[in-house]
Amino acid sequence: MAQRVDLIIVGAGMAGLSAAAEAADHGASVLVLEKEAECGGSSLLSGRYMAFAGTDLQEAAGFDDTPESLVADMLAVGEGKNETALVEAYGRHQLETYSWLKTKGVQFHAVQAVSGHSIPRGHQITPAQAIETLKLSAEASGKVRVLTEAPVRRLKKNSDGRVTTVVYEQDGTEFEAEATHGILLTAGGFSRSKQLLSDVAPQLDGAIRIGGKGNVGDGIRMAVEQGAWTRDYAYLKGTYGFHPTADGPRKSQALAFYKGAIIVNKEARRFVNESISYKLIGTEALRQENGETYQIWDQDVMDAGVEGDALYDFRKLLDLGLIESAPSLDALAARMNLPAGELKKTVADYNAAVRNDNDVFGRRTLTHHFGKPVVLDRAPFYAMRTTVAMLATYAGVAVNEQAQVLNPFGEPIDGLFSAGEMVGGFHGAGYMTGSSLGKAAIFGRIAVRTAIKSAVVS
Ligand SMILES: Cc1cc2nc3c(=O)[nH]c(=O)nc-3n(C[C@H](O)[C@H](O)[C@H](O)COP(=O)(O)OP(=O)(O)OC[C@H]3O[C@@H](n4cnc5c(N)ncnc54)[C@H](O)[C@@H]3O)c2cc1C
């Protein structure tokens, strides 16, 4: 006979474990099924920023922020292609989720300026600490069971057409489990599926692939089989800023361009406004010959690096030999095999444009509406060969603001919920840093509340 619980959660990353901890708060019985041996998925590998507005950390740092400003930035970066109701739900629930995460024991260390935000909103967590804390908090209720190495294969409907059952595998045996309140799919995206990526976004074939090992689109496939509509494949983009070796054990990333570096192609020519979203920069970078591009900066930008930070610890990458340095631009060009005359001209033109505020690519800020570009003239100079990585796929099943999965007619599929990276419609045409971990926690919790509320009413 199938096991029976209130809720089944498929996938134990930020979305699934936030949902599990929320369900524990409501006293619900929960079965969490995780495919891999370790919980955490892409959340564990993440750059560690969560986007929140109006927090104590921002206040302490002197940043006056509002949910309305966060929502406006998200819609602007998404070019208005995002589902406004989802973005507004993020705005309404984000500060409360930040406080809730803190009460659960998730630690927030600092706030940084990150891509897409007009004010510093990247709240830094330690992913392993957050994942472990949420898991322990859920399990402490005594009613949440987390099974690892338990991949869910398929979902089933009951005779009333409600999705009630999961078929999962453990130790080579197939089991069924049934949920009375609902099934929540939080199985992440498909950044590790070469085939699915190539099917829906062949323009990204040149990108390296990073992300949770189990993130190959299982959740999306299972939801689609139950009648889910999908959204946002057209907006799939890679993330610019990774060293070409980042698909190995080290996820080496440096966003020196948001501290003032320029980006050039193999002809040592700029091709993009470096302050725009690193997703949009990624699209332009893949259009360059062989997708070959370099970040170039000087000692002042180097000094703006942040030790221990996932995106801005330039010194660490220099020590690892992933960044080159040289006393002059000529020497740097020789080291990187770039045309020296062209590199010098590019930097000189750029410095003149910074001084005159008339950049040909329209750069007026360091990141989106934040900071002032700086001239690159203080030796030594630095360069990092930089590429595009698919580390997340912000496209997938359609949901409403209650996290119910929708069919092609916009109607909820009875019993089926979804949250996190496998959901489409939230980011629209562009993603801003911190909003994926943020939405995973926010909508994971919303899904649980909806499932519990609808179970009480029905
Ligand atoms: C290098 C890197 C840096 C990033 N930096 C940031 C950042 O700074 N800020 C930000 O907001 N976002 C960032 N992201 C994106 C963000 O980490 C993810 O979008 C987010 O963590 C997704 O959370 P999730 O819970 O939806 O999925 P995940 O955390 O990926 O969890 C999904 C889980 O589902 C499991 N699963 C899959 N299939 C099945 C199945 N069939 N049965 C059972 N379990 C299954 C997976 O194994 C996985 O553990 C980054 C991603 C990467 C890779």
Side-chain angles (χ1 to χ4, degrees):
M1 212 176 77
Q3 311 162 60
R4 217 157 185 238
V5 288
D6 294 334
L7 271 168
I8 296 173
I9 298 174
V10 180
M14 177 60 81
L17 291 174
S18 296
E22 174 73 23
D25 287 350
H26 295 271
S29 60
V30 182
L31 178 63
V32 181
L33 297 166
E34 167 55 48
K35 180 181 186 177
E36 298 299 320
E38 185 183 28
C39 291
S42 286
S43 304
L44 203 57
L45 306 174
S46 76
R48 62 179 69 176
Y49 288 110
M50 296 185 81
F52 298 112
T55 65
D56 49 359
L57 268 183
Q58 283 181 309
E59 201 185 318
F63 302 123
D64 188 14
D65 197 10
T66 62
E68 290 75 23
S69 161
L70 170 63
V71 167
D73 280 350
M74 269 188 195
L75 293 173
V77 172
E79 295 175 16
K81 304 287 186 190
N82 1 29
E83 192 62 53
T84 310
L86 295 180
V87 176
E88 286 177 345
Y90 188 115
R92 278 196 305 279
H93 296 281
Q94 52 91 29
L95 193 52
E96 184 258 324
T97 291
Y98 169 77
S99 304
W100 176 85
L101 287 166
K102 280 182 45 161
T103 63
K104 294 287 156 207
V106 174
Q107 290 164 8
F108 291 93
H109 312 295
V111 65
Q112 280 282 344
V114 288
S115 168
H117 300 269
S118 50
I119 198 160
R121 279 194 198 108
H123 290 70
Q124 207 179 54
I125 57 168
T126 301
Q129 191 273 339
I131 289 296
E132 185 62 11
T133 300
L134 289 169
K135 178 170 177 280
L136 290 177
S137 162
E139 287 174 330
S141 71
K143 297 186 79 175
V144 176
R145 201 152 66 99
V146 181
L147 295 186
T148 53
E149 298 187 280
V152 175
R153 300 294 184 205
R154 299 294 264 263
L155 306 180
K156 286 184 177 175
K157 291 190 170 97
N158 68 8
S159 53
D160 296 335
R162 180 177 167 88
V163 183
T164 52
T165 304
V166 299
V167 180
Y168 71 96
E169 222 177 276
Q170 216 181 16
D171 297 329
T173 308
E174 215 165 70
F175 298 92
E176 289 198 359
E178 207 177 288
T180 49
H181 295 16
I183 293 173
L184 170 56
L185 293 175
T186 50
F190 53 99
S191 62
R192 290 293 287 264
S193 171
K194 185 172 187 218
Q195 187 211 323
L196 191 49
L197 268 174
S198 196
D199 282 354
V200 298
Q203 74 278 13
L204 296 169
D205 282 353
I208 58 173
R209 287 176 302 280
I210 304 178
K213 195 162 138 236
N215 291 18
V216 292
D218 295 355
I220 296 172
R221 285 179 208 273
M222 288 189 273
V224 167
E225 188 185 26
Q226 299 306 317
W229 189 238
T230 54
R231 302 191 54 172
D232 287 357
Y233 288 138
Y235 303 121
L236 277 174
K237 293 183 185 71
T239 298
Y240 186 75
F242 287 86
H243 192 269
T245 58
D247 54 355
R250 267 199 210 101
K251 312 282 167 267
S252 307
Q253 189 180 14
L255 306 190
F257 48 99
Y258 287 150
K259 297 286 186 188
I262 55 168
I263 301 171
V264 300
N265 58 20
K266 64 185 289 207
E267 273 114 38
R269 297 209 178 110
R270 286 176 70 220
F271 54 88
V272 73
N273 172 350
E274 293 88 349
S275 73
I276 64 173
S277 156
Y278 48 25
K279 298 278 177 189
L280 302 177
I281 296 176
T283 304
E284 295 305 319
L286 286 175
R287 291 193 181 125
Q288 304 308 303
E289 199 182 334
N290 301 331
E292 208 174 298
T293 72
Y294 304 82
Q295 297 183 69
I296 307 285
W297 67 94
D298 74 347
Q299 188 58 42
D300 283 341
V301 173
M302 192 69 182
D303 292 344
V306 182
E307 197 188 327
D309 187 274
L311 309 180
Y312 301 117
D313 194 343
F314 313 140
R315 179 68 48 191
K316 185 174 120 197
L317 298 198
L318 183 71
D319 293 344
L320 287 169
L322 303 177
I323 289 172
E324 294 287 343
S325 82
S328 67
L329 284 170
D330 279 346
L332 189 70
R335 206 156 281 176
M336 303 308 287
N337 209 15
L338 291 168
E342 198 60 47
L343 183 64
K344 259 164 81 176
K345 180 177 177 327
T346 295
V347 172
D349 289 351
Y350 177 74
N351 287 346
V354 169
R355 289 192 181 100
N356 299 325
D357 194 21
N358 64 352
D359 181 40
V360 63
F361 292 99
R363 184 173 203 181
R364 300 274 178 279
T365 53
L366 288 179
T367 65
H368 186 71
H369 296 323
F370 183 77
K372 281 263 156 244
V374 289
V375 293
L376 304 173
D377 60 1
R378 194 176 141 221
F381 295 93
Y382 299 87
M384 177 173 127
R385 176 140 191 228
T386 308
T387 193
V388 179
M390 277 314 290
L391 47 90
T393 49
Y394 303 118
V397 301
V399 296
N400 60 18
E401 66 268 36
Q402 272 91 44
Q404 295 170 294
V405 176
L406 303 176
N407 72 15
F409 300 100
E411 299 152 349
I413 297 173
D414 198 17
L416 194 57
F417 302 85
S418 187
E421 195 182 307
M422 59 168 285
V423 161
F426 181 81
H427 303 284
Y431 158 81
M432 53 194 242
T433 303
S435 58
S436 191
L437 285 168
K439 77 170 181 179
I442 292 166
F443 288 98
R445 298 180 65 217
I446 289 177
V448 168
R449 283 186 242 143
T450 311
I452 286 172
K453 202 163 64 192
S454 53
V456 172
V457 172
S458 62

